[in-house]
Amino acid sequence: MKVEIWSDFACPFCYIGKRNFEAGLKEFGQDVEVEYRSFELDPSAPVKYDQTMDEILAEKYGMTVEKAKSMNDQVSAQAKAVGLDYHFDTMIPTNTFDAHRLLQFAKTEGKSTELKEILLHAYFTDSKNLGDHETLATLATTVGLDKAAVLEMLVSDAYAADVRDDEQTGAALGIQGVPFFVINEKYGVSGAQPAESFTEVLEKVWKEENPLTMLNKDDTNQCSGDSCNC
């Protein structure tokens, strides 16, 4: 079974959804291949902002900064419920395209899953600037990637096409928001669903694709072991 997850590093619900999915996957208990796909909430976002996260949200939705702060506080509370610590007051908003290119590079080295967690934690908890190449390269070393190789990659346009391919594939699937989970290229789950919802859908797909094989199906009206045929 394979699960592809479209998400963005600047999406607070993507990190919450990741935690819920991991909890649901643990309860499911079967081997599942997980692949993270690229999705940008705002491809036109600048690398540097002169606004806080509260101010950006207020401007985007036409509300007061106080209302925006209240909304972010509510999201922080949801994050805390799954063991995450968000700091909207010190987060550094930025364009996430280079972070996605780095994720694609890490995928070729078999390190994308580990890096995904590192970058999300860096953004939402440690208030790191994911638009800064030096910061990205330093974070990449924590999962075993070579810093010089990462910096060389970041100053080029390497893996840009891979990011765009993910985004185009997502668009073709009708994905307009994240997180979005695609199971075996057949079933889609949208949003940061509760852990039990992920367990339920994984079990459903598993049963559909691994049906029981009935033995002695021609034997009727027999009792054997702890069960009886009617």
Side-chain angles (χ1 to χ4, degrees), residues 8-17 41 75 79 84 86 88 91 124:
D8 191 13
F9 297 105
C11 167
F13 294 105
C14 288
Y15 202 5
I16 296 170
L41 289 173
V75 175
L84 300 175
Y86 283 8
F88 280 102
M91 279 180 202
F124 287 105

Side-chain angles (χ1 to χ4, degrees), residues 88-103:
F88 280 102
D89 56 332
T90 57
M91 279 180 202
I92 303 176
T94 187
N95 186 289
T96 60
F97 185 66
D98 283 344
H100 282 293
R101 288 200 299 124
L102 176 56
L103 184 71

